[in-house]
Amino acid sequence: MKADRVRWNRKYRDQTHPTGTSAIVKRYFRRARQGRALDLACGNGRNALFLVDQGFQVDAVDISDAGLSLVPRRPHRLHLVCADLDTFSIPRKCFDLILNIRYLNRRLFPYILEGLKRGGLLIFETYLEKKGATPKKISCRDHLLRPNELLHAFIGMHILYYEEKADPDGGFTASLVAVRETTR
Ligand SMILES: C[S@@+](CC[C@H](N)C(=O)[O-])C[C@H]1O[C@@H](n2cnc3c(N)ncnc32)[C@H](O)[C@@H]1O
């Protein structure tokens, strides 16, 4: 949505954003076959570039041209796409690995599953609403998972890891790593 682009372009111009690879990506990417990966809402490309360096061919999608302009390198195996994930179509059975880090778009849940090849890996980590707690960074509930929501959304997959926990910055996150079953 256009408002997302305006809001995020402003955030990328006015604030600093993490540049190190997410810990969950470093920890689990090896569970995926080295092949084609999709990074949803890739921001400054911190995770997409890590995957490229590990030998993946990466499609990295984000609505913010200001965020994408911060991607520090443009290796040939990185394909940056400036697009709105509210309308973006994830190609079916295409990816060995899909990342969704610090972004929530519930519309995408079924398409994420379909976008994975059989045996493909999903690494999903984003903010969680915690009962009785007021998260500091994100106020809009639409951008927050409910307890167990992520687990339920992908329960048809083979779950390797699921955790809901407090972050050092005072927020809460849910993290899931799962494999698309080879038989379904
Ligand atoms: C918290 S940042 C996370 C960026 C990256 N995944 C990371 O972990 O560094 C959220 C990202 O979602 C992107 N975003 C927000 N709404 C979007 C939309 N409708 N379509 C595509 N990207 C969107 C923003 O531009 C921003 O880069």
Side-chain angles (χ1 to χ4, degrees):
M1 172 197 321
K2 193 174 168 237
D4 290 331
R5 172 169 291 135
V6 172
R7 189 164 60 92
W8 276 97
N9 276 351
R10 194 175 308 124
K11 282 191 187 206
Y12 279 111
R13 290 195 188 105
D14 296 350
Q15 299 167 13
T16 55
H17 295 265
T19 52
T21 310
S22 301
I24 193 168
V25 175
K26 278 201 218 163
R27 187 165 165 205
Y28 284 102
F29 79 93
R30 283 190 193 83
R31 296 289 193 111
R33 277 183 307 258
Q34 192 194 63
R36 197 163 166 199
L38 173 65
D39 185 1
L40 294 166
C42 64
N44 60 19
R46 63 189 179 126
N47 291 312
L49 275 176
F50 172 80
L51 291 179
V52 166
D53 291 343
Q54 307 307 317
F56 287 82
Q57 173 86 38
V58 182
D59 292 345
V61 183
D62 201 283
I63 199 169
S64 169
D65 43 304
L68 294 175
S69 74
L70 298 173
V71 177
R73 292 180 284 124
R74 307 293 165 105
H76 70 276
R77 273 190 273 108
L78 177 62
H79 178 221
L80 294 179
V81 181
C82 189
D84 185 351
L85 286 167
D86 285 344
T87 50
F88 183 80
S89 298
I90 299 176
R92 297 184 72 232
K93 292 187 183 170
C94 198
F95 297 101
D96 300 289
L97 171 59
I98 296 182
L99 296 188
N100 184 120
I101 306 292
R102 304 202 311 148
Y103 174 70
L104 180 60
N105 186 334
R106 293 177 172 88
R107 179 193 82 85
L108 293 177
F109 286 175
Y111 302 112
I112 289 174
L113 180 59
E114 285 182 7
L116 287 167
K117 294 178 187 168
R118 302 211 185 276
L121 186 78
L122 170 63
I123 302 180
F124 198 132
E125 181 169 84
T126 197
Y127 303 105
L128 172 74
E129 178 184 83
K130 195 81 175 179
K131 243 186 176 173
T134 313
K136 283 181 193 158
K137 286 194 169 172
I138 293 186
S139 50
C140 181
R141 285 191 87 208
D142 286 352
H143 296 152
L144 297 174
L145 288 162
R146 311 291 182 265
N148 281 332
E149 181 182 356
L150 188 58
L151 185 60
H152 282 285
F154 293 101
I155 200 71
M157 300 180 73
H158 175 60
I159 310 288
L160 299 179
Y161 168 71
Y162 182 75
E163 189 172 17
E164 296 182 356
K165 62 176 187 302
D167 265 352
D169 64 6
F172 294 89
T173 52
S175 310
L176 173 132
V177 180
V179 176
R180 182 171 182 178
E181 302 278 11
T182 47
T183 49
R184 283 194 230 180

